[in-house]
Amino acid sequence: MPVNCQPQRIPPGPQRTSCSAKALHKRVLRNGGLQNIDPVIDLYNAVSIQYAIPVGGENLVAYADMPRLVIADGTELFDTIKCGQAAHEIPQPGEVVWRDDLGVTYRRRIRAMGCTR
């Protein structure tokens, strides 16, 4: 299946975006298992699959100061990867994001973290 590398104007809504636990479960069913990434991440994934809940953690050493949950003003920088290439995005004003002193560290999926559907 080809990858669509066209920019999206509107981020996927909760009806089109699975929570992380559900997406992980789909990946296991599709691929017959999970690849080993790192012992800690592998443990998070195993717990997430076993109990069907989103589980994860952060490397606090990698942050510039403490991470914080904020409402974006639309000027924050978010470094990401699109189609295998480094890319920069700017969150929409009013979007809820995690950030540190350098910029946004996590965005868009916060509303889906609870698996409320």
Side-chain angles (χ1 to χ4, degrees):
M1 176 178 279
V3 175
N4 181 359
C5 292
Q6 299 300 316
Q8 294 181 348
R9 291 182 180 212
I10 301 172
Q15 70 278 6
R16 292 186 50 203
T17 306
S18 297
C19 76
S20 61
K22 190 180 287 185
L24 187 63
H25 184 255
K26 286 180 184 179
R27 194 175 325 143
V28 168
L29 292 177
R30 182 179 60 239
N31 299 335
L34 292 172
Q35 72 180 65
N36 292 328
I37 299 170
D38 170 273
V40 175
I41 294 172
D42 294 345
L43 178 62
Y44 291 148
N45 286 342
V47 171
S48 187
I49 291 295
Q50 178 70 31
Y51 297 102
I53 58 171
V55 178
E58 294 292 332
N59 178 1
L60 292 178
V61 175
Y63 280 95
D65 201 25
M66 290 300 296
R68 52 205 176 270
L69 189 63
V70 301
I71 297 174
D73 63 19
T75 63
E76 300 89 344
L77 182 62
F78 178 66
D79 294 327
T80 188
I81 297 175
K82 289 199 174 195
C83 300
Q85 301 294 320
H88 306 288
E89 296 179 352
I90 297 175
Q92 297 175 354
E95 183 178 338
V96 178
V97 298
W98 281 100
R99 69 158 301 151
D100 64 8
D101 288 348
L102 298 179
V104 174
T105 59
Y106 191 81
R107 65 183 293 233
R108 288 203 177 149
R109 291 255 162 128
I110 294 170
R111 68 176 172 271
M113 288 168 61
C115 293
T116 57
R117 297 184 39 112

